[in-house]
Amino acid sequence: MMRAIACSDSVPMTARPSPRRFPRAGVIVAESFVGWLDPALARYRDLPVASTQAVLGAVMSALAPAQADDPPPTWLRPSQLTAYRRCLAAVRSHGGALLAEPPGAGKTWIALAVALRAEGAAACVVPAALRRTWTSAAAAAGVPVTVTTHEAWSRGPRVLGAGLIIIDEAHGFRSPGINRTANLAPALVGRRGLLLTATPIVNRAEDLIHQLLLLVRDDTLATAGVPSLRAAAAGGPVPQALGEIVVAGTAAGLERPVVRTVTSRPSPAERRQVLGLMAALDRLALSPDGAVESLVRGVLLTTLASSTEALRRALTRYRALVLQALDAGLSGQAPGRHAIRRALGGDLDQVVMWTLLPVTDESDLIADDLPILDELLAALPSPGQDPKADRLARLLADGRPSLVFTMSRATVHHLRRRLVPSSRVGWCTGSEAGIGPARLRRAAVLGWFRPGVRDHCGLAPHILVTTDVAAEGLDLQRAARVVHYDLPWTPGRLEQRAGRARRPGGEHRTVEVVRFEPPAPLGRRLGVFAALVRKAGIPGRFGLGERADPAWTWRTRLAASIGPGGRSPAVAAAASRRFRLLAGFRLGSAGRVHPGVVMVLTAGGEWRDDPATLEAALEEAAADGNGSAPTRPEIIAALRRIRHPIDAVARRNATSVEALRPRIAELTRAIARVHAVGRDAARRRDRKTLALADRGLAFLRRGHTTGERRLAETLGTAGPERLSALLADLPVTDPVPCPPGVTLTGLVIFRPR
């Protein structure tokens, strides 16, 4: 016989004695123990009973990312409301979000609506070609905006206006080392914003993360099990929590034209011409440095794949550079990386990895190439002898309005002269535009290809030959055909080009997309096909694009399919072949609530949360209708069983928070400097400086945006006066988050039939 002292219900015990009183006062003897609820679950012992459908709705609704309940502006379409609410909630909770809706979904209007509700105004950073589009849309929506361009930020820092930051075509800032990103990132410190792009992943998964880090801190999802956004792109399963800050839509609800894909292959004459020029280019030694030689040869082959005129232009500029190297050698100087880039870069700056070139100014060119260059230039065919251009002319002879995309300005000018009648060919590059021989404003040329244009006199251009300057953000729905005259290195660029004509409100039910393939030997040398295939699958892993992997978005999809439920937790019972449980939990910490977790206790006693198990349980529960009310003992028994999954979820996220601490070691020098300031202020009883030091340490111990990271590194090298000024201007940050609490959202008991 066991004896135990009587205990209050408030004491955290896992078992409570069944009392039996004896004459001796104050002593309770327990002959047996009965199970008792953990105090963390005791508050759920009186869960209200609801219908199966209502409980499933509450559980599944908690899976989806948070949505703001602010009333939307009247000019938003119903299909845009979910993205608007999710983006607004993410901006308020995390400081930013990335909206990755497909072309034609109206990202401009969604962003303006978020800016209106979040801060009442917007500071927009957009490509120069879209400046007028944004100012017009903002005026129509009644949202005050200031607009700066990508190109301006590439030239140097600018002043951002007031309001929510909106970065359109945000994939232009996917590389942290380029000028525009380096100039913009510090200006975004302490600001909230929204990133817009239909192609957030261009070359690699890190593209997405680098864009997010412009506005969102690296540890913003730590309490949801993602200690570092940078680590999330390293491989393995994509964390579901990423859906809190990445709002990815599909084209399913958009009435867009159907795509008919056509492949155009080279003729025998074109193949012979290209193979002959490839053999001639292989005679060039180019450079004694292997990296330089490989890169320059790749540039020349890429221009050859575009047109013989593009190759002529590249060879002419390269020949001038070789002559410059000969002259400079007499004075002890030599052209290095920057001179080669100026000579061969041009329109290829976005596709060639110039950073592979050595930084030294030693000569990397071979003067013996000069005679071979002269022979090659003399042997190039005349502009009239271009089988590839003949292939294009035959395709366009049907008169259908067409967009022809190329990566080379020289090819644009070659085609505008080569196509007949040239007076009806519009053309556009980054620096100029026109129709036929006449030069016009870019907006005037592009205007002929916008929807609703009528050619009453038969004089309007029906062909637009353009570089990728017209591949982003423009409505060119008059076009019924998109021609990839050159194949880019990224599938995202292919989608952007086709998206100009494949937009809602277009005039055509079908848009023909034509890919001009180069001769197979040239294609293999360039590796463009292999690159397109390799990169095409990356966005799908992150639930982006038309090939999105449903395994990443199934929780959101299920939440939408079940329907709404109650806001408070409830319990229901459903008939089943065997006993099981379905339990939903929600995570929350410091006022931030994350999407929930749903787990199923299988017949084998294992808790699982994979899509197949969950969908089977949902289907079985939904088939049972409203079910029958569970008894109180059934509820108590079920609550005892869910202690294990709650502990597992809490332990996982506590581990995620602990993973933040090693990041502090990366900023040891800055932390030591700020500690020294704090100790000195304490000795002098300088409360103001001591508060600044505490603020600095709190800032250094958190994750950072790209701009904040550079600011944190500056704290370790700044002088005393500069350090004090930096501490005074630091953004306000929350302390390192505590492990999140776990709350129950609903419970379904499956009874054996």
Side-chain angles (χ1 to χ4, degrees):
M1 184 176 296
M2 298 181 64
R3 296 188 178 185
I5 303 299
C7 298
S8 167
D9 287 351
S10 62
V11 178
M13 295 181 64
T14 57
R16 184 185 178 190
S18 177
R20 177 181 174 186
R21 295 192 177 277
F22 282 79
R24 185 178 296 177
V27 177
I28 299 176
V29 179
E31 295 179 343
S32 63
F33 283 85
V34 296
W36 183 244
L37 281 176
D38 187 284
L41 294 173
R43 55 181 168 149
Y44 298 123
R45 61 182 301 175
D46 295 321
L47 275 177
V49 176
S51 67
T52 306
Q53 182 65 31
V55 175
L56 289 177
V59 169
M60 301 308 297
S61 295
L63 283 181
Q67 296 187 23
D69 55 7
D70 301 55
T74 56
W75 32 264
L76 280 184
R77 300 194 303 262
S79 61
Q80 298 170 331
L81 297 183
T82 299
Y84 153 75
R85 294 186 177 114
R86 285 185 57 186
C87 287
L88 184 55
V91 165
R92 287 172 173 165
S93 183
H94 300 283
L98 186 144
L99 177 59
E101 297 278 314
K107 293 186 290 293
T108 300
W109 299 97
I110 296 172
L112 290 172
V114 173
L116 185 65
R117 293 292 184 257
E119 298 193 17
C124 305
V125 182
V126 307
L130 303 183
R131 178 194 285 269
R132 179 171 296 184
T133 300
W134 274 92
T135 54
S136 300
V143 180
V145 298
T146 56
V147 180
T148 56
T149 67
H150 291 198
E151 294 78 359
W153 285 99
S154 295
R155 294 190 292 269
R158 295 291 186 272
V159 176
L160 286 170
L164 186 78
I165 305 297
I166 298 176
I167 304 177
D168 196 11
E169 305 299 346
H171 54 271
F173 294 88
R174 66 185 181 274
S175 301
I178 61 176
N179 286 343
R180 67 176 62 170
T181 305
N183 292 328
L184 178 63
L188 299 177
V189 173
R191 302 289 296 270
R192 301 189 301 177
L194 192 59
L195 303 152
L196 312 180
T197 174
T199 54
I201 296 178
V202 178
N203 291 306
R204 51 186 183 161
E206 287 79 1
D207 293 346
L208 172 65
I209 304 304
H210 289 321
Q211 292 169 70
L212 288 170
L213 290 176
L214 288 171
L215 295 167
V216 174
R217 292 189 173 115
D218 187 47
D219 65 345
T220 193
L221 298 177
T223 53
V226 185
S228 169
L229 293 178
R230 291 186 177 91
V238 179
Q240 291 284 328
L242 203 60
E244 295 187 48
I245 52 178
V246 178
V247 181
T250 66
L254 298 177
E255 296 181 0
R256 301 200 301 172
V258 177
V259 168
R260 186 169 69 90
T261 304
V262 177
T263 300
S264 177
R265 292 183 172 83
S267 65
E270 181 181 344
R271 189 175 185 277
R272 287 193 298 271
Q273 184 185 83
V274 168
L275 290 179
L277 292 172
M278 287 176 61
L281 288 174
D282 286 341
R283 294 172 56 201
L284 295 170
L286 298 177
S287 174
D289 185 284
V292 176
E293 182 273 334
S294 178
L295 198 57
V296 173
R297 193 176 303 281
V299 170
L300 296 177
L301 290 174
T302 301
T303 57
L304 173 59
S306 181
S307 68
T308 54
E309 290 306 298
L311 177 61
R312 189 191 311 276
R313 179 174 181 267
L315 288 173
T316 300
R317 298 181 66 174
Y318 186 71
R319 179 181 181 275
L321 185 63
V322 174
L323 289 173
Q324 178 187 345
L326 288 173
D327 294 339
L330 298 176
S331 60
Q333 299 179 359
R337 161 184 162 179
H338 299 295
I340 296 175
R341 178 173 179 174
R342 285 195 302 270
L344 295 178
D347 3 322
L348 299 177
D349 271 353
Q350 295 299 317
V351 298
V352 178
M353 299 181 67
W354 295 105
T355 52
L356 293 179
L357 288 177
V359 183
T360 63
D361 286 331
E362 298 178 2
S363 178
D364 296 312
L365 306 178
I366 296 178
D368 291 344
D369 278 344
L370 195 58
I372 304 175
L373 284 170
D374 290 336
E375 292 178 20
L376 185 53
L377 284 167
L380 283 176
S382 66
Q385 298 174 316
D386 189 346
K388 185 180 179 182
D390 294 338
R391 187 171 24 140
L392 178 65
R394 290 192 296 271
L395 176 70
L396 301 179
D398 59 7
R400 297 180 69 188
S402 302
L403 306 177
V404 180
F405 285 97
T406 175
M407 294 190 294
S408 169
R409 288 191 292 264
T411 302
V412 169
H413 292 297
H414 168 58
L415 292 178
R416 74 175 176 86
R417 300 186 188 98
R418 186 75 169 69
L419 296 175
V420 178
S422 61
S423 59
R424 295 191 61 190
V425 176
W427 52 274
C428 184
T429 70
S431 57
E432 54 186 349
I435 297 177
R439 280 171 169 72
L440 302 171
R441 290 185 302 109
R442 181 191 299 168
V445 175
L446 296 177
W448 284 105
F449 293 87
R450 297 188 185 278
V453 172
R454 295 290 178 265
D455 184 14
H456 299 292
C457 302
L459 298 177
H462 68 282
I463 300 169
L464 176 65
V465 183
T466 177
T467 61
D468 284 323
V469 70
E472 296 179 342
L474 298 174
D475 297 326
L476 305 176
Q477 295 103 309
R478 179 176 165 242
R481 179 191 287 127
V482 175
V483 180
H484 302 298
Y485 196 72
D486 302 341
L487 289 179
W489 290 90
T490 63
R493 181 62 69 188
L494 292 173
E495 294 179 17
Q496 287 278 6
R497 291 173 172 181
R500 299 315 100 213
R502 283 195 71 204
R503 300 176 79 84
E507 303 176 6
H508 312 282
R509 293 185 177 181
T510 302
V511 170
E512 185 180 71
V513 177
V514 184
R515 289 171 48 143
F516 267 50
E517 291 189 354
L522 179 57
R524 286 193 296 269
R525 289 280 295 273
L526 291 173
V528 62
F529 299 117
L532 287 173
V533 171
R534 184 179 69 255
K535 296 173 183 177
I538 301 175
R541 282 187 54 233
F542 288 82
L544 305 170
E546 296 185 2
R547 301 180 183 178
D549 181 3
W552 189 80
T553 56
W554 65 270
R555 295 179 186 271
T556 303
R557 175 174 53 82
L558 282 181
S561 66
I562 294 297
R567 291 183 176 272
S568 56
V571 62
S576 173
R577 294 186 300 273
R578 50 192 176 275
F579 174 79
R580 286 186 296 173
L581 291 176
L582 184 149
F585 314 102
R586 188 184 282 279
L587 311 174
S589 176
R592 178 176 295 170
V593 178
H594 299 285
V597 177
V598 178
M599 303 188 78
V600 175
L601 177 64
T602 65
E606 180 185 5
W607 285 96
R608 300 178 61 178
D609 63 351
D610 59 281
T613 301
L614 181 54
E615 290 193 38
L618 291 174
E619 182 178 351
E620 191 171 10
D624 189 55
N626 289 331
S628 58
T631 64
R632 191 61 53 190
E634 284 180 314
I635 297 175
I636 297 296
L639 288 174
R640 291 195 190 104
R641 288 177 176 265
I642 67 174
R643 176 75 264 181
H644 175 72
I646 286 181
D647 286 342
V649 172
R651 188 163 50 250
R652 180 194 67 189
N653 290 279
T655 303
S656 173
V657 172
E658 285 299 316
L660 298 176
R661 304 194 183 282
R663 183 182 293 115
I664 297 174
E666 302 172 8
L667 298 171
T668 302
R669 183 174 181 181
I671 292 175
R673 293 286 308 281
V674 177
H675 261 302
V677 171
R679 287 194 300 269
D680 180 65
R683 284 194 299 269
R684 294 185 289 105
R685 300 182 181 275
D686 184 349
R687 295 185 177 181
K688 182 178 179 181
T689 304
L690 186 60
L692 289 178
D694 287 341
R695 182 176 173 183
L697 292 175
F699 171 76
L700 291 171
R701 287 189 170 96
R702 286 300 310 269
H704 303 111
T705 65
T706 300
E708 289 175 346
R709 180 71 181 188
R710 296 182 180 180
L711 180 56
E713 292 169 350
T714 303
L715 292 176
T717 58
E721 294 184 2
R722 174 66 174 156
L723 180 61
S724 298
L726 289 173
L727 290 174
D729 292 336
L730 285 179
V732 177
T733 56
D734 298 327
V736 174
C738 297
V742 183
T743 57
L744 186 69
T745 58
L747 180 63
V748 178
I749 303 171
F750 291 84
R751 294 168 168 162
R753 290 190 181 95

